[in-house]
Amino acid sequence: MSKEEILHQQDEMLLNDPNCTININNTGPIPNYYQPTPVNMQDANNTIAQLTFADIWRLPPFRITTGTVRLDVMGVIQGGGRNWQIHINGINGPSTIASITVQGNLATASTQERQAYVQNMTKRALQQSLMSANSMDVNGPCR
């Protein structure tokens, strides 16, 4: 069984964990949206793949850069969460191709499995935002 299959299996088990209920909600169109190219999309997916649970809670100006894009923590939101965006490098003006908020009630994930679930759902939200041009909100709780 591949690592991805194991993670997917763990995610499926945690879907029924009453102490770690994670939802991804569409919050509407991305402000300052920029239409990405296929190269931007590939670079964005490669960048998303690098995000770890510990990275999710970093403070600005933390970023992960791959090729034509960068994944930036934009700021801390009320409740201790984070706002993340993927931008195209070298663009003056609107350059956002994905945008999510991760609520602070997910930072308290108490086990390695729950932390991996938070990480995977955060990555999923970034990919959904990238594919839909809509902002996403990742919310818990996860204890």
Side-chain angles (χ1 to χ4, degrees):
M1 189 176 292
S2 74
K3 182 179 177 182
E4 283 183 19
E5 289 171 325
I6 292 168
L7 289 174
H8 180 72
Q9 211 171 41
Q10 288 173 341
D11 284 355
E12 292 297 319
M13 290 186 321
L14 286 169
L15 279 174
N16 298 316
D17 182 347
N19 292 313
C20 192
T21 306
I22 302 174
N23 295 300
I24 299 172
N25 298 303
N26 182 329
T27 58
I30 296 171
N32 301 314
Y33 182 72
Y34 182 87
Q35 182 64 48
T37 67
V39 170
N40 299 146
M41 296 289 281
Q42 182 61 53
D43 288 348
N45 281 311
N46 291 340
T47 302
I48 292 167
Q50 297 177 51
L51 188 66
T52 68
F53 179 80
D55 290 340
I56 295 168
W57 311 110
R58 293 188 188 269
L59 296 172
F62 180 77
R63 74 174 39 152
I64 300 170
T65 302
T66 304
T68 61
V69 305
R70 65 187 183 278
L71 173 60
D72 295 306
V73 60
M74 302 304 294
V76 177
I77 61 172
Q78 186 174 359
R82 301 293 187 270
N83 172 257
W84 284 90
Q85 294 182 357
I86 300 177
H87 298 274
I88 305 294
N89 294 324
I91 301 283
N92 291 327
S95 65
T96 307
I97 62 172
S99 178
I100 68 167
T101 53
V102 182
Q103 298 300 321
N105 61 7
L106 296 172
T108 57
S110 60
T111 67
Q112 193 171 23
E113 291 80 16
R114 288 177 180 163
Q115 290 174 3
Y117 185 47
V118 170
Q119 174 184 309
N120 292 341
M121 292 298 280
T122 300
K123 289 179 178 183
R124 185 174 297 164
L126 280 163
Q127 289 167 331
Q128 287 177 2
S129 178
L130 182 64
M131 298 305 293
S132 70
N134 287 304
S135 296
M136 300 291 164
D137 178 69
V138 188
N139 202 340
C142 193
R143 298 179 185 92

